[in-house]
C-alpha cells in the first residue's frame, strides 16, 4: 500500500528505524512513507522541533508516532531500566486520543514490553485511572483537560518528559483548551522536544507554535489539500431543497452509491430528521453530533468502522462558536466531530448540506481517500455481493404508513415518487368575478398566463377562460 501520486524518495528501512517498528509497519501494510512521514520522521529523530502542516489523511499520525516510539526504544537500549513518562501526546478529543492510541499499539506490536502506552482521555474517574499511571508509562496520550486534571491530582508526573506532541493543533484553542495547554507547559522540564501536527496553518497554530516550539522546522508540504483526483472523484448534483430527500433515497436505493458513506448535514436537528427519514425506508444509519455523549460518539464511529452501519450521518458545527451562546443545548467542547477521526474505508462523502467554508469541505472530503484508499468504492465482501448482477435487485420496500408521516420526514416530492401521495383537492370557494376585487384580478391574470402554456387543469382553465 502506498500513497498515490506521492512517490516516496526514501523507504522506511532507510530512515534508521528499529527492526521491531519496521515489522509492525509492514504488518500494517504501509509499503513506503507518505510525503509528510518521509520529511518529518528524520527531522524528529534528529532532535528537531517540527511543525507539520499537511492535508488531512496524509499520514501525520504515523509521522509523529513512529519517531516517538523510535526515540523511546533508543533510550531503552542505552538504559534498559529507564522507566519514566518520556512522551506526552495531546489531542483535542477523546476519539482522536483513542485513535492515536490504537495506531501506537499497532506500531509497538513487536515491542510492547519495551514501550508502554496509556490513553487517559476517557472520562473515567481520575482515581480509577491512577493505576494506569502509577508505574510511569513511556507514552501518555490525553486531552489537555485530562492531562491537567491528572497533574492536579499528582497522578501524572511529567518532570522527565522528553517529547511533547500536539495533534490537530488548529483545533486546540477553539476547543477551549488554551488555558489547559498553558498549564501543561508549566509542568514540563525546561528542555524537551516538541511537534505540532495540523491540517491548516491558522492563527491558533502560529500562537501554539510560539508557545511550544523552539527553533522549529516548519514542514508545509506543497501538495494539494485534497487527495489527488486519481484517488478522489468529486461529483455535484443540483436539486431543489425539497427534493434532496428523493435524490438521496434514489442514490442509495438504486445502488448508485456503494460502500460506506458519511452524510454531512449542518445542524443537529437535521441529523435526527435525516436518520428518521432513512429509517422509513429501512435504510439503517447511525448518527454523530455534538449532543451525543462522548461514549456514544465513540460507539457510533466504532460501529461504523466495524461495518454494523454503512451510513453515518454527521452534523458539523463551527468550532469558533461561543460555547456559551446556545445554553439550551449541552454541547461537548471536545466534540471534534470527524476532524481527524479515522473513519475506516469510507467510500463516499455526501455533502447533503453544503459545508460552510472551503476548509470544512476539505476536512469532510478528507474522510475518504485516506492513506492509499480509493475514494469512491472499496472492495469488501459486502460490496462485492451488492455488485452481483446475476441476482435480482430487490425492489425497495416502502410501507403504506409512509403516507401518514409528517412532510419534513417524507416530503411530498418523494411521496409522489413512491405513488403514496393522496392528492387532496382544495375546496375552492366560488367568488363571483368583480372588477372591484383587486385580488381576483391579479390571480386571474397570473392563471391566464399559465393557461397559455396549458399548465392548469381543465376545470380551472375553463373557469378563467370564461372571463
Ligand atoms: N505510509 C503509509 N502507507 C499507507 N497508509 C498509511 C501510511 N501512513 C498512514 N496510512 C493510513 O492513512 C490513513 C490516514 O492517516 P492519518 O490518520 O495518520 O492521517 P492524518 O494526516 O493524521 O489525518 P488527520 O489530519 O485527518 O488526522 C490511516 O488509515 C493510516 O492507516
Amino acid at each position: 500500500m502506498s500513497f498515490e501520486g506521492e512517490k516516496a524518495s526514501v523507504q522506511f528501512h532507510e530512515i534508521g528505524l528499529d527492526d521491531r517498528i519496521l515489522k509492525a509497519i509492514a504488518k500494517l501494510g504501509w509499503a513506503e512513507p507518505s510525503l509528510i512521514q518521509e520529511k518529518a520522521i528524520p527531522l524528529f529523530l534528529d532532535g528537531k522541533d517540527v511543525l507539520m502542516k499537511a492535508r488531512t489523511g496524509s499520514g501525520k499520525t504515523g509521522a509523529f508516532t513512529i519517531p516517538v516510539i523510535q526515540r523511546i526504544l533508543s533510550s531503552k537500549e542505552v538504559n534498559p531500566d529507564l522507566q519514566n513518562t518520556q512522551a506526552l501526546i495531546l489531542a483535542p478529543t477523546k476519539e482522536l486520543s483513542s485513535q492515536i492510541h490504537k495506531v501506537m499499539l499497532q506500531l509497538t506490536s513487536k515491542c510492547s514490553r519495551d514501550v508502554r502506552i496509556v490513553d487517559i482521555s476517557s472520562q473515567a474517574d481520575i482515581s480509577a485511572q491512577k493505576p494506569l499511571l502509577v508505574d510511569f508509562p513511556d507514552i501518555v496520550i490525553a486531552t489537555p483537560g485530562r492531562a491537567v486534571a491528572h497533574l492536579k491530582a499528582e497522578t501524572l508526573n511529567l518532570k522527565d518528559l522528553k517529547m511533547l506532541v500536539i495533534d490537530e493543533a488548529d483545533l486546540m484553542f477553539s476547543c477551549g483548551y488554551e488555558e489547559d495547554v498553558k498549564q501543561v507547559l508549566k509542568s514540563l522540564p525546561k528542555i524537551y522536544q516538541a511537534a505540532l501536527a495540523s491540517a491548516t496553518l491558522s492563527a491558533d497554530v502560529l500562537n501554539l507554535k510560539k508557545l511550544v516550539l523552539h527553533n522549529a522546522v516548519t514542514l508545509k508540504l506543497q501538495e494539494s489539500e485534497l487527495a489527488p483526483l486519481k484517488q478522489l472523484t468529486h461529483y455535484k448534483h443540483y436539486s431543489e431543497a425539497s427534493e434532496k430527500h428523493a435524490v438521496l433515497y434514489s442514490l442509495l436505493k438504486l445502488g448508485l452509491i456503494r460502500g460506506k458513506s458519511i452524510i454531512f448535514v449542518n445542524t443537529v436537528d437535521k441529523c435526527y430528521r435525516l436518520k428518521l427519514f432513512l429509517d422509513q425506508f429501512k435504510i439503517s444509519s447511525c448518527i454523530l453530533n455534538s449532543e451525543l455523549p462522548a461514549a456514544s460518539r465513540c460507539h457510533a464511529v466504532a460501529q461504523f468502522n466495524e461495518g454494523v452501519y454503512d451510513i453515518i450521518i454527521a452534523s458539523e458545527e463551527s468550532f469558533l462558536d461561543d460555547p456559551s451562546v446556545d445554553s439550551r443545548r449541552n454541547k461537548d467542547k471536545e466534540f471534534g466531530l470527524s476532524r481527524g477521526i479515522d473513519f475506516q474505508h469510507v467510500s463516499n462523502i455526501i455533502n447533503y448540506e453544503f459545508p460552510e467554508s472551503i476548509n470544512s469541505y476539505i476536512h469532510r472530503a478528507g474522510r475518504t481517500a485516506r492513506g492509499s484508499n480509493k475514494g469512491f468504492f472499496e472492495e469488501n465482501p459486502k460490496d462485492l455481493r451488492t455488485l452481483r448482477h446475476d441476482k435480482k435487485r430487490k425492489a425497495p420496500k416502502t410501507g403504506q404508513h409512509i403516507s401518514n408521516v409528517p412532510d419534513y420526514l417524507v416530503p411530498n416530492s418523494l411521496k409522489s415518487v413512491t405513488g403514496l401521495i393522496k392528492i387532496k383537492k382544495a375546496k375552492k370557494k366560488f367568488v363571483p368575478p368583480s372588477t372591484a376585487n383587486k385580488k381576483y384580478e391579479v390571480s386571474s391574470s397570473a392563471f391566464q398566463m399559465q393557461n397559455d402554456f396549458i399548465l392548469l387543469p381543465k376545470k380551472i382553465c375553463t373557469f378563467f377562460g370564461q372571463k
Side-chain angles (χ1 to χ4, degrees):
M1 263 209 307
S2 64
F3 278 82
E4 285 209 17
E6 299 169 6
K7 197 85 199 112
S9 58
V10 287
Q11 299 300 315
F12 279 120
H13 67 267
E14 294 168 321
I15 307 179
L17 299 175
D18 190 285
D19 270 357
R20 290 165 288 178
I21 302 181
L22 289 175
K23 280 183 188 154
I25 289 175
K27 206 171 155 198
L28 276 170
W30 298 358
E32 55 183 27
S34 70
L35 197 54
I36 189 69
Q37 291 166 356
E38 179 190 327
K39 305 287 175 210
I41 297 173
L43 284 169
F44 200 84
L45 289 177
D46 243 20
K48 302 256 184 341
D49 279 9
V50 186
L51 166 57
M52 38 185 128
K53 184 252 164 201
R55 73 168 163 78
T56 185
S58 57
K60 292 188 290 297
T61 314
F64 62 78
T65 50
I66 291 172
V68 164
I69 296 167
Q70 176 60 49
R71 287 207 51 199
I72 288 168
L73 285 174
S74 306
S75 69
K76 297 232 166 160
E77 254 169 42
V78 180
N79 183 357
D81 298 327
L82 188 71
Q83 194 54 60
N84 50 33
T85 299
Q86 295 196 52
L88 174 68
I89 298 179
L90 295 177
T93 66
K94 300 169 199 75
E95 291 92 336
L96 276 166
S97 300
S98 80
Q99 191 182 303
I100 296 168
H101 187 212
K102 206 172 131 205
V103 173
M104 290 200 110
L105 290 179
Q106 288 170 328
L107 288 169
T108 52
S109 59
K110 307 284 173 198
C111 54
S112 51
R113 279 198 201 158
D114 293 304
V115 184
R116 288 198 19 254
I117 309 157
V118 298
D119 171 16
I120 54 165
S121 62
S122 81
Q123 281 303 335
D125 203 57
I126 294 286
S127 52
Q129 282 184 340
K130 197 175 167 183
L132 291 176
L133 296 165
V134 80
D135 49 2
F136 310 112
D138 302 281
I139 303 170
V140 173
I141 306 166
T143 58
R146 285 306 271 184
V148 169
H150 275 283
L151 285 168
K152 282 186 183 153
E154 295 182 359
T155 40
L156 176 64
N157 185 337
L158 299 178
K159 69 177 173 30
D160 293 315
L161 197 92
K162 305 263 180 319
M163 293 165 277
L164 170 71
V165 177
I166 302 186
D167 191 19
E168 300 289 339
D170 53 343
L171 295 182
M172 276 298 175
F173 288 178
S174 52
C175 282
Y177 284 130
E178 185 166 356
E179 282 315 309
D180 290 330
V181 171
K182 287 179 181 164
Q183 201 64 37
V184 170
L185 294 178
K186 281 184 196 156
S187 325
L188 304 187
K190 277 215 167 94
I191 298 171
Y192 59 88
Q193 187 186 357
L196 298 181
S198 174
T200 60
L201 275 190
S202 63
D204 284 351
V205 177
L206 299 176
N207 285 338
L208 255 181
K209 182 185 170 192
K210 273 187 221 150
L211 280 174
V212 178
L213 305 182
H214 309 278
N215 294 327
V217 179
T218 301
L219 288 176
K220 192 178 160 195
L221 295 193
Q222 289 306 316
E223 53 175 3
S224 152
E225 292 204 83
L226 283 169
L229 291 179
K230 251 200 278 175
Q231 216 180 334
L232 176 68
T233 317
H234 303 253
Y235 299 94
K236 59 177 183 256
H237 181 92
Y238 294 101
S239 77
E240 293 296 326
S242 60
E243 316 231 292
K244 279 199 216 171
H245 288 78
V247 172
L248 180 65
Y249 167 83
S250 317
L251 288 174
L252 294 170
K253 278 290 181 185
L254 295 176
L256 297 173
I257 283 180
R258 297 195 186 109
K260 290 205 273 184
S261 307
I262 304 178
I263 303 177
F264 279 104
V265 292
N266 290 343
T267 62
V268 174
D269 284 348
K270 196 63 176 210
C271 207
Y272 291 109
R273 285 178 182 203
L274 198 55
K275 178 177 166 43
L276 286 171
F277 167 74
L278 293 179
D279 283 351
Q280 294 295 323
F281 294 95
K282 297 190 169 52
I283 300 173
S284 60
S285 59
C286 56
I287 51 175
L288 190 65
N289 64 50
S290 58
E291 285 182 0
L292 294 173
S296 311
R297 294 191 320 248
C298 288
H299 188 63
V301 176
Q303 286 199 313
F304 180 72
N305 283 342
E306 283 160 19
V308 179
Y309 293 100
D310 278 345
I311 298 173
I312 194 162
I313 305 170
S315 72
E316 196 168 40
E317 291 165 1
S318 169
F319 280 93
L320 302 173
D321 279 350
D322 180 355
S324 62
V325 171
D326 190 354
S327 50
R328 280 179 301 119
R329 295 202 153 158
N330 179 24
K331 287 180 189 165
D332 184 340
K333 72 171 181 174
E334 281 183 15
F335 180 66
L337 183 69
S338 47
R339 286 282 309 267
I341 295 176
D342 199 7
F343 288 101
Q344 280 154 23
H345 306 298
V346 178
S347 304
N348 320 290
I349 300 295
I350 302 170
N351 285 300
Y352 187 82
E353 289 183 313
F354 214 70
E356 279 153 12
S357 67
I358 294 173
N359 264 350
S360 173
Y361 182 87
I362 289 168
H363 281 288
R364 286 181 180 189
R367 298 306 106 203
T368 187
R370 290 174 72 75
S372 54
N373 288 331
K374 289 267 186 194
F376 186 64
F377 178 65
E378 57 159 335
E379 280 188 19
N380 69 26
K382 215 170 157 191
D383 286 332
L384 290 175
R385 269 205 308 279
T386 323
L387 269 185
R388 283 188 53 179
H389 293 300
D390 53 330
K391 282 190 174 179
K392 265 193 176 175
R393 274 201 192 286
K394 276 188 192 161
K397 277 186 196 166
T398 53
Q400 190 60 40
H401 63 286
I402 288 171
S403 56
N404 299 325
V405 295
D407 279 357
Y408 70 82
L409 290 182
V410 183
N412 280 343
S413 54
L414 188 52
K415 286 188 190 175
S416 55
V417 167
T418 54
L420 288 164
I421 191 165
K422 286 177 192 151
I423 301 163
K424 285 180 194 156
K425 288 177 189 162
K427 282 182 189 165
K428 287 221 173 282
K429 260 190 179 175
F430 179 75
V431 184
S434 147
T435 43
N437 188 340
K438 287 264 186 279
K439 208 172 159 195
Y440 169 74
E441 267 181 18
V442 172
S443 58
S444 156
S445 58
F447 275 107
Q448 186 61 56
M449 203 174 82
Q450 291 190 47
N451 191 19
D452 294 343
F453 293 97
I454 323 172
L455 282 177
L456 292 171
K458 214 177 167 193
K459 231 176 174 180
I460 305 176
C461 296
T462 317
F463 175 72
F464 285 105
Q466 280 171 353
K467 193 181 163 228

